[in-house]
Every structure is written in C-alpha cells, then in structure tokens.
Amino acid sequence: MGYTIAQKIIKAHLLSGEMTVGSEVGLKIDQTLTQDATGTMAYLEFEAIGVPRVKTEKSVAYIDHNTLQTGFENADDHRFIQSVCKKHGIYFSRPGNGICHQVHLERFGKPGKTLIGSDSHTPTGGGIGMLAIGAGGLDVAVAMGGGAYYISMPKMVRINLTGKLQPWVSAKDIILEVLRIMSVKGGVGKIIEYGGEGVKTLTVPERATITNMGAELGATTSIFPSDEITRSFMKAQGREEDWTELSADADAVYDEVIDINLSELVPMAACPHSPDNIKTIEEIGPQTVDQICIGSCTNSSYLDLMRVAAILKGKTVAPNVSLAIAPGSKQVYNMLARNGALADIIEAGARILECACGPCIGMGQSPNSKGISLRTFNRNFEGRSGTRDGQIYLVSPETAAASALTGVFTDPRTLGDAVDIPLPEKFEYNDNMVIAPAPVEEMDSVEVLRGPNIKPYPQTAPLAESIDVPCSLKVGDNITTDHIMPAGAKILPLRSNIPAISEHCFTVCDKEFPTRAKSLGSSIVVGGVNYGQGSSREHAALAPLYLGVKAVVVKSFARIHRANLINAGILPLTFVNEADYDAINQGDELSVPNVRQLILDGKEELVLVNKTNGKEIPVKCELSDRTRDIILAGGLLDYTRNSNSN
Ligand code: MIC
Ligand code: SF4
C-alpha cells in the first residue's frame, strides 16, 4: 500500500508511535516559527525549560501581530524577543519584514520538512509541500528544545481538483468551497491533501491561500505536492537548492475523497459570523459596503496585490467605502513600490498600512457600527474586528477590489477581460530585515531585556485527588478562542501578562466571568461542539488556568485548544451523551470524585456528579500515556522540567 504526501513526511520524522489513525505519534520538528502575540510567552517557556540553544534546523521569530505601539508593552516585548533570539540561536524577523506565514513561505520553508508554529495558520507552508502545523507556544518551546511534537495520527482526505478556474475566480473561492462542503469542524482529526490535474493550474501563492485557510476547517494541516511549479517558485526566491519533489503514491489510500471541478466555481463570500457560512456574491446581491480590507496571511502575496492594483488602476474608491491594504511582506511591498503598482493603489485612494496582520486581528481599522466590511482575511468571528456589531464577509482580493470601486458587493466577473499577472522569474528578495543569532561562543554574554509588563507563567499544581467545584460558565457551540481570550488593539499588549489579560477572559460571552471565576476560586466551564476553534493562542488556556478553571466539559474540542488545555494542566472532558449538556446549569455544584486515581489507573470514562440536581453524568477523558502524565504533573512545563531533571 502506498503513502499519501503527509504520511511520507510523518514516516520520515517519526520518533514514536504507530501511524494508525487516532494513535499518538511523536514527530521530529525541523523548523519552528513564532509570532510576537504568542512569542513572548513561548520564549518565557523556552527559558523555563532551560535548553541553552535551539536544536532545530531553523527557528524564526516574527514580529507582525502587535505592531500598534500605543504604550510601551508591545515594543518591550519586541525587544525581549529580539534579545532571546540573539542568545538562544533563533533568527529574528524585524517588525516591517512582514507576516510570519508569508515571509516563511518566501524565505525559509522547504518541501518535505516539518514546521510547527505558535500560530494556527502555520499550515500556509503546505503550499510548498511542508508538513506545517499550528501549535500552542509551549509545544513550540519544547520543539525548539529538541523535543518531539505529538499529534494524534490524522485521517487522510484527498481533495481532487479538476478543471481550471474561470477568469476572476480565485484561490480564495476554492477554499471557501471546501469550507462550504466540510464546515468549520469538518477537518478535525484530518489532513487535507490536494491532488488531481487542477493542481497544475495553481501557483504557489494560490496554493498557500488554500492551505492557510484550511485552518478554518479545524484540520491538522493541509498540503499540496511539491512539483515543477513549486520548483520555479523557489527558484524565483533564489532557493532552488531547497526544493525536493514530493507527491502521493498512485496507490495511496485516503479515508475520504472530495471532488471539486475548478471550472464550475464562482466568486463567493463567507458571511457573518463564521468562515463556513458561504454564499455566492451573486446571491448576496448589490448590498452597500462600508469598508474593504485587503491583506492578511491568506491574501497578501505579490500576485494578489498586483491583481488588486490592476483593478484599481486609474479609478477611485467609491465615496462610501474605506479601503485599507496591508501587503504581506517587505518583499511584496518593495516590488509593488518599484514596479509602480503601489502608486496605482495610492492614486485610487487606498489607505496603505504596514506589512503586518493589522485589521485581521483587530489592530486598527475596526469598521463603523454595524459596518459591512469585506475582507480578504480568514476569520470573521463576531467582534474580532474590534466592532462588536461589525458584519464581516471574507472574500477574494478580486471581489474586494471590484466592490471597493462600486461601493456594493460586486462580482469581479463583471469587470470584463481578466488581468493576467505572471509570477516573476525572480522575486526581489533581500533578507536584510532578518537578524541572525549570536555565534555560540558569544551567546552567554547576550543580555535578555525584560520590560515591566512581562510576568511569569501562571502557578500550576499537580492534578488534585478530586475536583469539587461549581460551574462558573456555560457556553454554546463553536466557541472560538477569540471568545475565550479576545484579541484586538487594547487586549493584545497584555499577552505577556497573564494576570492582566485574564481580566478579559470570556468577556465577549459574559462580562462578569473573570470576577465570578476569581471569587469562586476554582471552577469548571461547560461548552458545546467544536469548543476552542480558531486561534492557537495558549492564553485561552492560561487565563482560565489563572482564574482557577480545573476542567472544561464540552460536546467536542478543536485540536489545538484541547492540546493547550492539557499543556496548562486543565482536564479536557467530553460528554459521553451530548444530551447531558442540558443537565448542567451555570452555578451548579459539580464533582469528579477520585479523579487523580482514576486517571492514574488509565480510566477514560469518568463520572461527573451534578450535586445540585443529583445527576450522574458519564464523561470521557481520552489521554495517551504521555498526556496522562502531563495532566497528573499539572501541565507540560512541569512535566518537561520533571523529565529533564530525571
Ligand atoms: C489569529 O489569527 O487568530 C492569530 C492572532 O494569528 C492567532 C494567534 C494569536 O492569537 O496570537 C492564531 O491564528 O493562532
Ligand atoms: Fe495574522 Fe490574521 Fe494571519 Fe492570524 S490570521 S497570522 S492575525 S494575518
């Protein structure tokens, strides 16, 4: 039996476990990336592990999220990260160099290698045939220290692409179609592989748009083959020697196959407030729009912005629209500046932002009240834009630019002849904004610079004998980590200060939660399906940990968040019968008797007693030997420290 692309990479990096679906496999990690909003915590954790120099082939720290400096906090974090990088062997991508995923794809990614990143859109690297996975900061810290990264062996899904996109239909429309078919929870426990004749019609930046937004399926990762198209992209980046060919065996077996005929796709949008709430632009009709934002790690490549520039050239943005554009990297920005496309964009009236995440994470450009905002981004969760009642639609750059000119939702196919933008034979690359670490002999003398907002990792404790606590919060289905630990310009500067950021935990759902949780001392949170989808931010586990949350009981979890809860020593429980969700109300007194001994004995089925109504609720806690030890130890940091000292 042959192997899929992902199985080949997993096999070549397998440190422990068996490649059977659902069992835990430990992988050797070749590369890591961090960004600044998760990075400060990840490097504090790396320091706590105590390994002097990273053991990966390449680790890169990017500054791209917290670039709005309205106080000292973000700038202090940047200096901290820069000094840690210099000392511990990590490459530092300076603010201004671009969004981590875009830059990593351009400059560092390699087909066939493994990459984990403290950001959920790390699968962007799958566009060049990397096995690139989003993870919590602590997992990245462990991997930098040479430790394995563990996943449960995913099912393999093949998306078979046939045909060719029609003019004005975009790679974004392909991933929106996949989201329409599979939904935001359809990818959980799966790796999505693209294959078929249609793959040959897609450039690397287009493939990367698709693997990037595969994160919204909840998938472990997404991957394309590495072929001649990949080779020419890498050659144009001056890195042909980093290229290797990679494809699935002809007799590879997939658990699921989905066929998509590219020729039949039309421009689409993900409507508020979920990336899988898909309609065609035609169906939405010519509704008025207030704002358009173009950029983010999904759609800010040279190709994307050249198409936008061609659409805007010689025209003016509609009077009712504010158009903001953030190029994905310094390379993209520079090339647009040199070839004149930037002038076309400016001339048309766009508001040009620095190359960073910006509005995608609510760092500025929040829309007006009830504002309709079309964005080329990947997430449209309620409130994420910074405007609570903002109506965010996710669209392609072509749809965004066409609508910017008319002021209403506009199908770009109405624009007439398609623009043909070839990929350049040579990108204008220059790594002058990447700082190499100090040589080994000098690293001891490098001082790490810590600002006053940087506070230590929260206090942890080994799992208690029994859990006897009230339910401090009950939430519904598809709760995102943006609900649990909101981002945005005001809260992001607190990412390195868990006590302070905890004051905002769950406030999107319930303003009183932090005060209530603190006054209760310890508690349990109850949720529905796909709990913790979205961002990889471990703060969505660390803030509850700080507020005394001992366990989370839900119908089902999203992958990264479940791992982050375990890493923080919080017990992840699922209802055996989903209907039992109704047997708990906020405020009920709950108990998991004898939990430590039961977990120690390897029991997966536990009983949660609702002491308020007398119900005995069967719950599940599926753990591997390793995650069991982590939970017993009180989290991954304690577990790693204990194992290092043994
Ligand atoms: C996001 O898109 O939600 C983020 C901000 O990039 C997060 C990381 C974070 O919360 O810092 C992600 O995707 O993991
Ligand atoms: Fe940045 Fe947005 Fe991409 Fe997250 S999704 S890495 S915030 S651009």
Side-chain angles (χ1 to χ4, degrees), residues 24 566 622-632:
E24 189 176 74
I566 293 174
E622 285 171 78
L623 297 170
S624 64
D625 291 348
R626 188 189 66 92
T627 47
R628 181 177 315 126
D629 289 345
I630 293 175
I631 282 286
L632 290 169

Side-chain angles (χ1 to χ4, degrees), residues 134-177:
L138 193 43
D139 284 318
V140 176
V142 168
M144 285 191 286
Y149 176 61
Y150 296 87
I151 52 169
S152 108
M153 186 65 197
K155 288 186 177 164
M156 299 290 147
V157 179
R158 168 151 164 140
I159 300 199
N160 209 23
L161 302 177
T162 53
K164 189 176 183 315
L165 289 175
Q166 298 291 321
W168 300 111
V169 185
S170 184
K172 182 63 156 278
D173 299 310
I174 304 177
I175 186 63
L176 292 178
E177 171 70 358

Side-chain angles (χ1 to χ4, degrees), residues 65 99-101 119 121 296-297 357 360-361 378 384:
H65 281 62
I99 305 175
C100 52
H101 309 303
D119 193 282
H121 291 102
S296 93
C297 55
C357 301
C360 178
I361 188 58
N378 49 39
R384 180 175 158 104

